[in-house]
Structure formats: C-alpha cells, structure tokens
Amino acid sequence: MRRALLGVFVLAVASAAAALGCEGRPRPADATSTEPPRKSGPAIAVMDLSGGLPEQEKPGLFGVTGAKKSFDEALRITTDIRDDKKSVGVMVKLGGAQIGAARAQELAEMLAGIKAKKSVFCHADALSNTTLMVAAKGCSSIWISPAGEVEAIGLAAQVVYMRRLLVDELHLNVDFLQVGKFKGAEEPLTRDGPSPEARASLMSVLADMREAWIETLSTSRPKATPDIVEDGPWSPQRAKELGLVDEVGYFDEALAEVKKQTGGVRERVVFGSGAEEKEGDLDELVRALAGESSATGPIALVRATGSISMTAGGNGILGGRGGIIEKDFNRTIAKLEKDDDVKAVVIRIDSPGGSALASDLMWHQLMKLRRKKPLVFSVGDMAASGGYYLACTGDYIFAEPMSIVGSIGVVGGKIGVGDALERIGVHAETFPAHPSKPGAAARAAYESPLVKWDEPTKVRVLDSMTSVYELFLARIVEGRSTRGRQISRDKVAESAEGRIFGGKEGKARGLVDEIGGLGDAIAKARELANLSESARVAVIAGKSGLFEALDPGASGGAGESVGASMTSPIRLLERTVPDVVPFVTSMAPLAEGERTAVAVPFAVTVR
C-alpha cells in the first residue's frame, strides 16, 4: 500500500513540475498577433476579486489550497503594491463578488492606502452593499458594466421560524433549551417569532453595523446619503447620476483608461485568476502534499474558519463539513507552541461557534501556547459563541466595526420523531434494565429521537447546560485577564446571556481590545515579540497531507468525505446557500450525540 501511495505522490509532483515548467516557456507568436504583450515598463497591477475573498481558499487536488485567492494573501499583496514603484496604477476587478462586511471594511482600508499614492480603478458587474463600500473608500474611479446593477439596498436581517411546521404540521417533538435569555438559538425551532430579548439583541447589532456602513460610504462619497444607499437597487446610469459610480463601461475600457491616466503600458495580474506565480511553487506543492506548512517565519498566521466540532462529521447526519476541527486545530497549536523559531502567533477567526466540548479543549491548548509566546486574534466577520470562546485566549483581540462578537450562552436539545411516528402506527417502547426505578426509561432513552424529554430530564439537561455556561464565563474571565487587564465574572456576565455586538460595542464592553483588521493584529504580534516591522509572516496550513487525507481514520480524511460527502446535505447547501453553512453546521454536534453547543443563534451575514 505504501509503495502505491508513493507512486501517486511521485506522479503528482512530476505532473506539477511539468505544468509549472511549461507555464514559464515562451509561446509561439500567434500568426494574427501584431504585437506581443509588453513585459517591461510601467505596469498596472490587476487584482481579480471576482471569485470572492474567502478567509481560506477551498483545497483542490490532494488538499492543496489555491494560491493568491485568500484574504490574508490579499493583505500582503496590497502592501506590496503600495510600495512597488514599478506599478503606476491598480485595476481592481470586482465582478459580482460577495464579500463579508468585516473583510470588506479592511479591504477598503487596504485600497485606500494604495489610493493615497497612486490611482486605483475599480470595475464591477454588480455592486452589493459591501462591495460598494469597498469601491467608495478604496477606489479613485468606480466603473460599472452597462448591464450591471448597484444593489445599494440597506442592511436587514431575516430569521425563519419553523415551529408551526415542525410541531403543528409534522408533529415532531422539539426539545430545546438555552442558557441566556438573549441567546435565541432555539427560537427558530420553538417559536413563531422572536422573543423581545432576541429582537433587541439583533436590532442592536444591526444598528451598529449600519452606522459603520453609512459612515464609510458618506465619508468617502458625500452624495452617498442614507436616502440613496438604502433605496436601491439602481441601474448603472442612475447610479452614475446619483454619484455612486463614476463611469458606465466594460472592464477593458476601464483598464485602458487607467493606463492612459497613469502612463502604464502593461498589466500584471497579482491576485486571483491568472496571478503570476512566485518562485518555489514546486517546493510548496511538495510541502503541501506532505502536510507541512508552506513556509516558515517568526510570526505564524493560523486560519480558524467555520463551525467548531470534534470531528469533520463525515458519518454524521449532515455528512462531511470541515470547519475548525478539534484534532487538527490542537495539533497545529501544539506544534507552534513547541517551535522555538515561532516567536508569536496570530489567529484569524471567523466562526459562529459549535461544539462546547471542542471549544473548551481548544481553549486549553491555546492557553498553553499563550504562556510561552504572544497570541493575537483578528476577528473576521464573526467570533461568536464558541468562536469567542477561542478568541478570549488572545493577549489582544482585534475586530472591525462590522465584525460580530459575543453570543456568550449555551443551547442544547434534540428534535424527536416519536409522536409523528405514533400518528402513522409506529410505536417505540423503552425497556430499562432497572424498571422499578421511577423515570429510568426516560433517562436511559433521553438521547433517542423516538422519545421526548419529560420534565425531570429537562431539569437535568438544563443543569448540565448551566454548568457549561458557568464554565464559559470562567474561561472568558481567565482568558481576558492578561496584559494588565483584570476582568471579573460580573463584568463578563453583563455582556453574556447570548447578546451579540458589533466591533465598537464589543470594545466598549471589554470583549475586544482594538478596532482594526488582520494587518493591525500582525503589527501587534511583531511588537509583542520585539520583531522588526518586516518580520516574515508564515501562513500555517491547517490541512493534512496527502497520506493522511487518504487514511479513512483521519479527521476529515477521504474515508469520510469522498463517498458520503459528495451527496451530503452540506454539499447541497454549499452549492445553493453557502452563507448559511457555518451556522447550520455549528448546531450539527447536537445531531451527532452532543447535548450542548455554544453557537450563535441565527445566520447573520451582510453582503
């Protein structure tokens, strides 16, 4: 078996070498070509964001992630472009990309830094709430395709409540409990509408996010008043008349214009599809196949994206789902703790939470690392519930105004089918080994979907959940009491019970230390480790190597994913409504044997 695997490995490397080798060879001149592309002279740096800007690129063949398509890579490249004297201008291709609110805020700041030194043109086929914000702040000139649309429509949340369907129509037993009156995680299953507490929590965070969004737009584009940016969608020509965009035209026309204005004679794709590859790509492929990090550096950047779980869930009800897997994550953190060449660690987190058990195990491993070297967290769109459980271990936590933090609470329960089956003539009988003990049957079968919880069982489950909630508060107190800070349980409790907050409110409440993005978090890590401003940042791969990926027993390996996950419900959701996947999977541990979860109550995405 090992010989066969080695053959696959060598073949893959040889194929990659051939591909990389061929890519660099000059192609024969086309018979109809009048002039070959210029390879020297002033250049226009092209950033292709039309494929989106994910926190982490999805892995391709053998688990190798794509290059120059992730958010942290965009941060590095924009810094390079800003200081590159050979690039006289920048062309940003937005296409119809959907970019999360917090990432959009930092991207806008990145581009604004370049705009202060050179022209930045942006072209889009369609502009959403967040990509309009990016273009408004970061671009010297905004272009929109003639058949495109400016979807400046304002921010809103929509929550689906299913109690009547589940209980009245399908006759299912919905046994869900929560600790924290603002948590609201069970409300979509147990209510026909929001509780006053859940409504207040959601409306508060929406107000904070709206304020940050409006402020960015109106400061960058004085004509972008709330009356306009919340009253779309607008046609391209109308958007131009309103001052939301500057020109209506095609991408090639915008590119020609930026060349004309800057004196650029060629374009160079630096990010996204068609980006120039850097030296050492073959070595990087070999390391990736072996499960090693792509590079080394005194600052280690770890991506923690998606729901939190003990396993990849390949055999669960939802199929393989990825996310932040306890086994993989803790193995990575343990390696960084022991690596003396790593002087500080930055974790970029974007998670709605998930398994309470996995969150606590990861918290423990992160605290061990923090005792040896600086640990800084950068919050992407969200570090809520279990996501915040991890983030509280940081020496410092950075978040954007439109990031979401908090949701400190616990939810647990199950959906039972016993009553529904009884209606069609199917009866389940429980036979306890100790039949004379009152409640023995209900207790022994409390995990069964065929039996609903009686009141004594609910009391015991709630008691267990309350214990997890108190542990959650204690972990935050210990995690946040560092670097001269001392936080009490009462102080944490004021922001607990499931409330969610925007970045600014989170900072005011002591849940966040600084308003800023990934770049700011990296700068703080360098400062804490007494490193220079140019100290290298190494992105630590979270994926396993080829050999482990083919091991059926490995977390998230091929044995779990190749067969079942291709047709799993999660794969269907990824193709249809990808934004909700992290939120659905954050509750998946409850369907796979665990009885408590630390997860955000509803899917909150801003586009």
Side-chain angles (χ1 to χ4, degrees), residues 314 316-321 563-573 575:
I317 190 171
L318 295 174
R321 57 180 178 271
S565 71
M566 291 298 291
T567 56
S568 73
I570 288 301
R571 295 296 172 262
L572 177 61
L573 288 175
R575 289 191 290 267

Side-chain angles (χ1 to χ4, degrees), residues 43 98 101 108 215 273 276 286 374 382 418 501-502 512 564:
Q98 299 290 327
E215 180 181 356
S273 179
E276 298 173 355
V286 173
M382 177 178 292
F501 309 100
V512 170

Side-chain angles (χ1 to χ4, degrees), residues 231-247:
D231 201 30
W234 303 109
S235 68
Q237 195 58 45
R238 183 59 177 150
K240 181 180 178 181
E241 293 169 0
L242 293 171
L244 297 179
V245 302
D246 299 301
E247 299 292 344

Side-chain angles (χ1 to χ4, degrees), residues 11 24 32 78 151 160 163 195 198 202 232 293 304 307 312 355 357 359 369 380 467 500 503 515 524 543 557 593:
L11 177 61
T32 61
T78 52
E151 298 173 350
V160 176
R163 189 204 65 82
S195 65
L202 182 55
S293 302
S307 61
S355 165
L357 174 60
S359 297
L369 182 145
S467 176
I500 55 176
I515 298 299
K524 174 59 73 171
K543 294 293 179 183

Side-chain angles (χ1 to χ4, degrees), residues 220-241:
S220 306
R221 291 233 156 197
K223 292 184 179 180
T225 63
D227 288 342
I228 292 175
V229 298
E230 295 181 307
D231 201 30
W234 303 109
S235 68
Q237 195 58 45
R238 183 59 177 150
K240 181 180 178 181
E241 293 169 0

Side-chain angles (χ1 to χ4, degrees), residues 439-484:
R443 212 76 67 248
Y446 97 105
E447 290 186 339
S448 170
L450 301 175
V451 178
K452 61 183 177 182
W453 288 343
D454 60 7
E455 287 306 315
T457 299
K458 289 181 180 180
V459 170
R460 285 167 174 76
V461 172
L462 185 59
D463 182 64
S464 176
M465 291 169 56
T466 302
S467 176
V468 173
Y469 177 72
E470 290 297 329
L471 180 65
F472 195 170
L473 295 183
R475 295 306 192 219
I476 295 173
V477 169
E478 184 176 350
R480 296 293 292 148
S481 296
T482 184
R483 299 284 174 177

